[in-house]
Amino acid sequence: MKQELVLTDDDLLARGNDRYVFQHPQDSKLLIKIVIPGIAKYKSKQREVHRDIKECKPHNEADSLFMQKILGLVETNKGVGQVIVKECDEQNNIAQTLYQLAMNKELDAHKLQKLNVFLAWFVSTRVIINSLHCKNIVYAWDSTRQEYRFKVIDGFGDKTFFQLSKVSGAIRDKNKIKCLKRMLRDLNSLQQT
């Protein structure tokens, strides 16, 4: 029988729309994402967990700079979870999202310049990112390069049954523009409040 990792309410860090985010109980540098039991479309969200493992792979060095790193899957007492590297700030606190930065009026010219670099990567990458929102982009510290950068932490892969974005660059580009427009509209709205 496989040993399962035991997660407790004390390990729970955040709740997204369809996933819980837990601190890995044995490694402070890792997180575990678990689909919330009982949500609508639970089974399709479970399939996304497995799909993310295949889709969230960098094609080049630039991709690895701007994407979360998924290490694999683990059995837990709450279900199958994705083990991911925790994105942090310089003091090892969990990285703030673009949403949090905008709400706290912390998007200065330097951060906006970093955001433009991230968005230039997003437009050019071959990695399929179907959902780009202010809450799934974090401002994380890269201790190796001694700098901050924005990184995407969710929304990988094509959600459709027939994954047309994989075979058609035109469809992939159209979807990216749609994602980008929506994210920028949301960001602009957040900055107006």
Side-chain angles (χ1 to χ4, degrees):
M1 185 159 133
K2 284 186 181 178
Q3 179 106 8
E4 65 180 23
L5 198 59
V6 176
L7 301 173
T8 67
D9 290 343
D10 291 339
D11 299 320
L12 183 63
L13 297 177
R15 178 192 165 122
N17 291 332
D18 53 27
R19 296 184 196 185
Y20 288 127
V21 179
F22 289 90
Q23 174 60 60
H24 193 295
Q26 298 166 354
D27 190 332
S28 63
K29 295 179 180 176
L30 301 177
L31 299 174
I32 299 174
K33 288 184 181 178
I34 306 239
V35 176
I36 299 169
I39 62 166
K41 300 183 181 178
Y42 176 78
K43 288 191 179 198
S44 71
K45 295 297 179 184
Q46 280 290 95
R47 283 191 297 274
E48 284 181 27
V49 167
H50 295 276
R51 184 203 63 216
D52 285 355
I53 297 289
K54 291 187 275 186
E55 299 297 332
C56 184
K57 288 197 174 149
H59 293 279
N60 54 46
E61 186 178 339
D63 289 347
S64 62
L65 293 176
F66 295 105
M67 294 168 43
Q68 77 175 359
K69 186 173 184 180
I70 300 176
L71 300 179
L73 300 175
V74 64
E75 289 286 338
T76 78
N77 59 317
K78 310 269 188 199
V80 175
Q82 286 178 345
V83 180
I84 62 171
V85 173
K86 187 193 318 186
E87 296 299 340
C88 295
D89 65 14
E90 221 171 332
Q91 290 76 39
N92 284 324
N93 300 310
I94 198 157
Q96 288 191 77
T97 64
L98 180 58
Y99 177 87
Q100 291 167 319
L101 292 171
M103 289 298 289
N104 296 332
K105 308 292 186 220
E106 295 178 27
L107 280 176
D108 57 22
H110 180 71
K111 288 184 184 86
L112 288 172
Q113 180 184 21
K114 297 270 186 181
L115 181 60
N116 283 333
V117 171
F118 168 81
L119 295 175
W121 164 80
F122 170 74
V123 169
S124 66
T125 185
R126 290 182 8 223
V127 176
I128 297 169
I129 302 168
N130 68 58
S131 180
L132 192 70
H133 296 284
C134 294
K135 290 184 178 179
N136 69 6
I137 301 169
V138 296
Y139 192 58
W141 177 248
D142 181 340
S143 58
T144 304
R145 290 174 179 75
Q146 295 290 296
E147 67 179 4
Y148 277 96
R149 81 172 39 83
F150 284 95
K151 295 181 90 166
V152 62
I153 58 167
D154 205 1
F156 299 97
D158 196 335
K159 289 186 175 184
T160 60
F161 183 74
F162 297 106
Q163 297 185 353
L164 299 176
S165 294
K166 279 188 169 183
V167 294
S168 171
I171 291 173
R172 185 171 52 246
D173 291 346
K174 183 179 176 186
N175 288 341
K176 279 186 184 184
I177 290 168
K178 188 170 128 184
C179 279
L180 187 57
K181 283 182 178 177
R182 182 180 55 229
M183 190 280 292
L184 291 173
R185 187 175 54 247
D186 292 348
L187 179 59
N188 188 45
S189 176
L190 287 170
Q191 291 185 296
Q192 302 300 318
T193 58

